[in-house]
Amino acid sequence: MFFLPNLKKSGKLDRVHITVFIVGSRKIEKQDDYASQNWDIFAPNLTIYGFDADLEACDRANADLEARKVNWKEKHIPLALSNTEGKATLYVTKYPGCSSLYPPSEEYIKRFSGNSELIELKSTVNLSTTTLENFCKAEDIQEIDFLHLDVQGAELNVLHGADGILNKSLLGLVTEVEFTEIYAGQPLFSDVDIYLRSQGLTLFDFGNMYRDRRREVPVISQSHPGPLIWSDAFYFRDLMRSDASPSSKTPEKLLKLACLADVMEFPDYALEILEYLTLNYGGNANYNFANNIIESLGEIPELRKQGLESLPIVARLLEYINIDEGYILNTTEPIITDLKTTLARNWKPTFIYKGKHLPYNRIGYNNTGERAIEIPITLDFLATLEKKDKILEIGNTLSHYENSLSEYIGIRPRRIVDKFEVAIGVDNVDFMDISSEEKYDVIVSVSTVEHIGQGIEPSSGAYGEQIKVRDLEAPLKAIAKIYELLAVGGKALITVPFGKLIDGGWYIQFDRQYLESLTTKYQIPHAAISTVFMRILDMELPSSNPREIWIQEQKEKLLNVEYNYPYPCANAVALIEINKLSEVFDLNLDMAPTALTYNQPVCERATIFSDLIADSLLLLFSKLKDINLIYFPDWEKPEESLYSDMEKVIGAILAHPDRSRMTLLIYRSNISEEDANFVLAGVTMNVLMEQNLEVDGEPELHLIETISQVQWAALIPRIHREIVLDDSNKQNSAKLGSKNILVCELENFSKQRIVQLETGAFVLG
């Protein structure tokens, strides 16, 4: 156990009830008693049913429980479980724990020596068998959370007799498996594994691997010390897979699964689930485990020494930490040295769209980029519609993020069309082939139409057309088709990447002229379309489920926005709302393409930070803070003048009350990095000594060298002010086109404080 003691102490287990079934529950050794394996941590919310064909063994176990006066429910029942209800023979062996419904294998006894004496047949007993399914129905048991099987080769029989309830509720199990027939005719590991995988369970690990020795063979290999005979196999439902059914990923089931993983000593899986619950359901205190996770990690000396604040998982959980709970801020031995400073980087949980605060999507699926805002905007769009009897979704997107909210807003009974993604409830047809006679009240398409008529997506080849000649205007034709399929008064929401016009091979990024073709060329009435533009301003680096800042932006400011640069996927999006005004519409798809200039993407394949992080610009971005300033020194000035200017600038930064939340970018040209660092170090030391400053939270001072126009265009939105002292600074900055950056007046600089806007962006106010 790793997390469970902390969860227990904080009361997070009070709502968790665990039901365990042990088939083959004879208690011979200490480890056969589940309480001794830490399961009693769930008490009193723990129920254990044990089954064994030996009546005396069950009586002894029940008497022992009564004598100990345990505070959980545990009962051992003398039943032989199998795949049918009927008669069977129990083969009783010399070692009682090896008795089985299968006879000992004479072939095995003849060839191997280690277990042969244990499985020596002593007698047979005729007995009745029943199934686990029948037992549960008779006892009105609705759920089994965890199953332990140890019935000497008959494990698969027990599983076959419990299909219904196991498929309905089982989250994990451990089962004995054999790799060699110890018992004649028994199923082997491969048989058990195939069955369990068909039931949606994943093999996580084996226990000790037990081997045997061949009879009268005097040699044995050090590398392969005897044939593999048996082991315990650990299985769980892997609900963290991207293709896991949303209906199975309820927070209640996930919490149980995390608890089971932890008690079975899989803390990595438990942590993955607890983080997922916190990021996706952390608004509910019952599923906010930030404090529990950080306090538990703080028990590891190596991590404490490293500094927990340096761990990416801690950065992701910061917004969910409750500083009034636990001992994260314990002054005698803090787990995070300066949590309050760490928490100063306040990632807003909401963004503003058309004047409305909407929560960022924090569901950890395909969530590095525009899905952070597209999903909540689309769900809000659907929730506010009055008429939505017939809904069409183009591209299977929303199903990956749905939960009980979908029932509330009424989008479950919708038609989903996706040509390539095979899933339950998805029509694998070409959207463009839908009959014009069909009409819908609502149509939504999240980041899909830009791919219609384009090539294969390169990272996995999961979707896209195997075509040599693409239709670069197919996305526009798809939107015209959407307009045609709307009933009069019907509404559509379509999201597409926006910025510089880009032919990405497997997508088209829209620009202003391309978007305007919807009305000028494809004849959708101008009054039927309204468009809002959003731009990403900041993203947590690096993270698989990063927090982000998106702001509403004017399209004129998005002319140079690239796709997949500097952040993964779309760096700006157009959210196109369409209202069908009348039935009269002439859909004409047989038009020659307009002569437009399509740009090539800066990053063609990379879509995640692990691919992009090597880029020097992202390394620069990692240095940025809430407020970022830039200064263009004239390095060719005489040394005395250069030092004087630099001291004014750096002195103002070091004296500012919010200095720890600032980065000063110093542009380096016509000077080596070594010489520039020498000047910077000397100036900083002089300022600290002359002004007698004690800097407890230092600003970030970072030298940057020549960057491309593309990089400069990506960096400008993150720079808040430019420090200008004289004309030489203006000439240096003008070469890179910094005219859109506000100028910082040093004489008033100390009076300006950092303010966070409702959008999440920071300003000097």
Side-chain angles (χ1 to χ4, degrees):
M1 288 192 305
F2 186 75
F3 297 103
L4 284 172
N6 193 281
L7 294 176
K8 182 78 170 181
K9 181 182 68 175
S10 66
K12 292 292 176 65
L13 296 186
D14 293 348
R15 296 159 56 91
V16 177
H17 194 292
I18 299 294
T19 299
V20 180
F21 273 40
I22 309 170
V23 185
S25 64
R26 180 196 302 266
K27 296 186 180 183
I28 298 175
E29 300 175 352
K30 183 179 180 182
Q31 60 265 29
D32 295 326
D33 180 67
Y34 258 46
S36 67
Q37 297 182 47
N38 299 316
W39 286 80
D40 57 343
I41 196 167
F42 299 115
N45 300 329
L46 173 66
T47 299
I48 298 176
Y49 290 94
F51 302 87
D52 199 280
D54 189 328
L55 174 61
E56 292 183 2
C58 291
D59 287 344
R60 284 195 302 270
N62 290 327
D64 176 65
L65 290 166
E66 185 175 353
R68 288 156 54 192
K69 299 188 182 303
V70 299
N71 65 334
W72 64 89
K73 178 181 177 181
E74 182 172 347
K75 182 179 181 181
H76 291 260
I77 303 153
L79 284 178
L81 296 180
S82 189
N83 59 335
T84 60
E85 189 166 308
K87 300 296 182 179
T89 299
L90 177 67
Y91 295 88
V92 181
T93 56
K94 183 176 181 179
Y95 180 69
C98 291
S99 300
S100 173
L101 295 178
Y102 288 88
S105 169
E106 293 298 329
E107 177 76 12
Y108 178 83
I109 293 172
K110 184 190 305 181
R111 298 184 63 201
F112 301 101
S113 60
N115 296 303
S116 297
E117 184 177 352
L118 299 177
I119 65 172
E120 180 182 333
L121 183 63
K122 301 298 292 182
S123 64
T124 60
V125 176
N126 294 323
L127 47 71
S128 298
T129 63
T130 187
T131 67
L132 193 149
E133 192 80 35
N134 288 343
F135 173 82
C136 290
K137 286 180 180 178
E139 298 292 326
D140 195 26
I141 296 171
Q142 302 298 318
E143 288 187 340
I144 301 174
D145 299 310
F146 192 81
L147 178 64
H148 188 149
L149 296 173
D150 183 4
V151 285
Q152 304 307 114
E155 289 80 10
L156 187 56
N157 293 15
V158 176
L159 291 169
H160 282 155
D163 276 349
I165 192 166
L166 297 188
N167 188 49
K168 172 186 173 184
S169 66
L170 190 70
L171 295 172
L173 84 156
V174 57
T175 178
E176 185 176 288
V177 291
E178 279 79 34
F179 304 95
T180 299
E181 277 195 20
I182 299 178
Y183 304 94
Q186 73 165 105
L188 297 179
F189 163 70
S190 58
D191 305 301
V192 176
D193 182 63
I194 288 171
Y195 173 79
L196 289 175
R197 284 191 286 114
S198 75
Q199 298 297 309
L201 290 150
T202 300
L203 176 65
F204 269 53
D205 201 2
F206 290 108
N208 292 330
M209 306 298 269
Y210 292 91
R211 300 174 182 272
D212 207 337
R213 300 195 65 165
R214 302 180 192 278
R215 287 189 182 276
E216 300 179 4
V217 174
V219 295
I220 191 167
S221 167
Q222 294 299 315
S223 301
H224 307 289
L228 188 61
I229 303 300
W230 69 275
S231 183
D232 287 319
F234 296 81
Y235 286 82
F236 290 100
R237 292 203 187 278
D238 192 353
L239 297 184
M240 292 293 94
R241 287 171 55 100
S242 60
D243 58 355
S245 169
S247 62
S248 67
K249 295 178 70 167
T250 65
E252 296 84 3
K253 280 190 177 182
L254 286 168
L255 178 53
K256 276 191 178 184
L257 185 56
C259 292
L260 293 172
D262 198 43
V263 78
M264 295 305 293
E265 300 183 357
F266 292 89
D268 55 333
Y269 188 38
L271 178 54
E272 183 182 20
I273 299 170
L274 292 174
E275 182 192 9
Y276 176 89
L277 283 167
T278 303
L279 296 180
N280 292 283
Y281 300 97
N284 182 336
N286 293 321
Y287 301 112
N288 181 346
F289 302 100
N291 282 47
N292 306 99
I293 291 170
I294 293 172
E295 290 172 8
S296 298
L297 294 176
E299 296 294 318
I300 303 175
E302 294 81 3
L303 294 182
R304 288 286 290 272
K305 184 177 180 180
Q306 174 184 339
L308 261 65
E309 60 270 27
S310 67
L311 299 177
I313 189 172
V314 172
R316 295 193 294 270
L317 293 172
L318 283 178
E319 66 181 281
Y320 296 96
I321 292 175
N322 187 337
I323 62 176
D324 296 323
E325 293 181 2
Y327 49 89
I328 291 177
L329 285 179
N330 188 311
T331 54
T332 58
E333 192 178 354
I335 293 176
I336 297 181
T337 308
D338 192 355
L339 179 60
K340 290 182 178 178
T341 299
T342 306
L343 288 173
R345 183 66 175 96
N346 184 19
W347 296 89
K348 291 283 187 180
T350 62
F351 62 98
I352 298 177
Y353 176 71
K354 298 200 298 186
K356 187 175 185 178
H357 286 267
L358 296 177
Y360 282 104
N361 168 32
R362 297 288 293 140
I363 296 175
Y365 172 82
N366 190 22
N367 204 26
T368 305
E370 63 269 30
R371 291 294 188 280
I373 60 166
E374 287 177 324
I375 301 304
I377 288 173
T378 304
L379 293 178
D380 181 70
F381 169 79
L382 291 165
T384 56
L385 295 176
E386 294 182 4
K387 184 172 177 55
K388 47 189 171 185
D389 297 327
K390 289 191 67 178
I391 303 175
L392 172 65
E393 181 182 2
I394 304 164
N396 183 31
T397 303
L398 294 180
S399 66
H400 298 294
Y401 306 91
E402 288 184 80
N403 51 33
S404 57
L405 179 65
S406 300
E407 298 289 354
Y408 173 74
I409 64 178
I411 68 169
R412 283 276 194 229
R414 69 185 185 278
R415 182 184 183 190
I416 304 173
V417 171
D418 193 307
K419 187 174 181 179
F420 301 101
E421 186 172 338
V422 178
I424 296 174
V426 176
D427 291 342
N428 297 124
V429 299
D430 192 326
F431 159 69
M432 300 300 289
D433 292 337
I434 295 178
S435 171
S436 298
E437 302 303 315
E438 295 187 33
K439 299 298 177 186
Y440 294 88
D441 301 318
V442 183
I443 301 178
V444 292
S445 179
V446 178
S447 285
T448 297
V449 300
E450 67 266 26
H451 303 296
I452 292 178
Q454 308 310 310
I456 295 289
E457 185 271 327
S459 65
S460 66
Y463 59 87
E465 304 279 5
Q466 291 280 8
I467 50 179
K468 294 182 179 179
V469 179
R470 295 183 295 116
D471 183 352
L472 297 181
E473 291 189 11
L476 297 173
K477 295 174 181 178
I479 296 176
K481 177 75 172 180
I482 289 172
Y483 186 74
E484 182 194 44
L485 292 177
L486 283 172
V488 176
K491 299 181 184 297
L493 176 65
I494 304 145
T495 74
V496 295
F498 189 84
K500 184 183 293 184
L501 183 60
I502 292 175
D503 173 8
W506 55 286
Y507 67 90
I508 299 294
Q509 174 164 287
F510 288 39
D511 75 345
R512 179 169 55 182
Q513 185 179 1
Y514 190 85
L515 184 61
E516 289 172 353
S517 297
L518 291 173
T519 56
T520 60
K521 182 174 182 178
Y522 291 93
Q523 298 302 302
I524 299 177
H526 188 273
I529 300 179
S530 64
T531 309
V532 175
F533 302 91
M534 300 287 291
R535 178 186 198 147
I536 187 170
L537 191 63
D538 199 1
M539 181 183 286
E540 197 172 21
L541 297 170
S543 173
S544 59
N545 184 13
R547 287 168 291 192
E548 304 173 24
I549 296 177
W550 286 77
I551 60 171
Q552 199 165 314
E553 188 64 278
Q554 298 174 353
K555 62 178 179 290
E556 291 78 15
K557 294 186 177 181
L558 302 175
L559 300 179
N560 295 314
V561 172
E562 300 283 345
Y563 184 88
N564 216 33
Y565 193 85
Y567 299 111
C569 305
N571 280 236
V573 292
L575 299 118
I576 307 164
E577 290 193 29
I578 296 178
N579 181 18
K580 185 67 172 288
L581 299 179
S582 71
E583 193 62 54
V584 179
F585 179 67
D586 182 21
L587 178 64
N588 183 5
L589 303 180
D590 188 21
M591 287 190 281
T594 304
L596 298 173
T597 301
Y598 293 83
N599 298 278
Q600 294 301 301
V602 175
C603 292
E604 294 186 11
R605 294 179 62 89
T607 58
I608 55 177
F609 274 128
S610 60
D611 297 318
L612 291 173
I613 196 65
D615 188 284
S616 59
L617 186 66
L618 275 184
L619 293 176
L620 169 59
F621 272 40
S622 68
K623 304 291 185 181
L624 301 182
K625 295 189 177 182
D626 295 342
I627 290 295
N628 305 296
L629 312 168
I630 192 166
Y631 175 51
F632 295 85
D634 183 356
W635 296 100
E636 296 181 350
K637 275 187 173 184
E639 183 177 302
E640 183 178 345
S641 180
L642 173 63
Y643 268 74
S644 175
D645 288 350
M646 293 279 279
E647 286 180 2
K648 292 177 184 177
V649 174
I650 293 177
I653 302 293
L654 293 176
H656 197 281
D658 291 332
R659 56 188 171 270
S660 64
R661 298 169 62 188
M662 294 180 175
T663 291
L664 174 63
L665 301 177
I666 303 172
Y667 198 78
R668 176 175 66 82
S669 60
N670 303 322
I671 186 174
S672 69
E673 183 176 5
E674 183 180 0
D675 289 343
N677 273 317
F678 180 80
V679 172
L680 185 58
V683 168
T684 303
M685 183 61 67
N686 287 342
V687 170
L688 291 173
M689 294 179 63
E690 290 178 5
Q691 298 186 21
N692 195 27
L693 293 174
E694 293 184 6
V695 182
D696 50 353
E698 294 188 16
E700 182 79 40
L701 305 178
H702 187 69
L703 289 167
I704 63 172
E705 54 187 334
T706 302
I707 60 177
S708 69
Q709 289 295 331
V710 171
Q711 292 173 321
W712 181 242
L715 181 61
I716 281 181
R718 295 294 317 279
I719 298 178
H720 298 82
R721 298 290 174 88
E722 178 188 353
I723 297 176
V724 177
L725 297 181
D726 54 34
D727 290 340
S728 64
N729 300 139
K730 293 179 182 178
Q731 292 170 5
N732 288 335
S733 64
K735 295 176 184 178
L736 281 174
S738 64
K739 59 183 179 181
N740 294 324
I741 304 176
L742 295 175
V743 172
C744 175
E745 304 290 344
L746 284 185
E747 55 268 25
N748 297 318
F749 180 60
S750 62
K751 301 175 184 178
Q752 297 175 310
R753 300 302 299 269
I754 296 178
V755 178
Q756 188 172 26
L757 304 178
E758 283 189 304
T759 61
F762 292 90
V763 296
L764 274 175

